[in-house]
């Protein structure tokens, strides 16, 4: 996995988790959903990069 893509994936996961938890804390369902989606997007980006690495070998 390239370092920049790995960093992007981890950043998306972290930002999503923060937004999701902040939304939960204030009772904002929209922010919770957006944060959850962003976190999932980060997980998918990481999985895509791992799959690319698996096929390179």
């Amino acid at each position: 996995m390239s370092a920049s893509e790995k960093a992007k994936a981890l950043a998306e996961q972290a930002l999503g988790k923060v937004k999701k938890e902040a939304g939960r804390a204030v009772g904002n369902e929209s922010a919770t959903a957006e944060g959850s989606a962003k976190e999932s997007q980060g997980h998918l980006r990481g999985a895509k990069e791992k799959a690319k690495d698996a096929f390179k070998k």
Side-chain angles (χ1 to χ4, degrees):
M1 183 181 322
S2 72
S4 65
E5 288 298 315
K6 185 177 182 181
K8 286 179 185 178
L10 291 174
E12 280 181 339
Q13 290 172 16
L15 289 173
K17 183 171 238 94
V18 168
K19 189 168 189 172
K20 180 175 69 172
E21 294 304 321
R24 281 186 184 162
V26 296
N28 186 338
E29 291 180 22
S30 176
T32 302
E34 288 176 17
S36 191
K38 191 70 155 175
E39 187 176 9
S40 295
Q41 187 177 4
H43 286 295
L44 289 173
R45 183 187 298 266
K48 177 188 81 168
E49 291 301 315
K50 286 181 184 177
K52 283 175 36 180
D53 285 347
F55 285 110
K56 285 183 182 178
K57 293 181 180 183

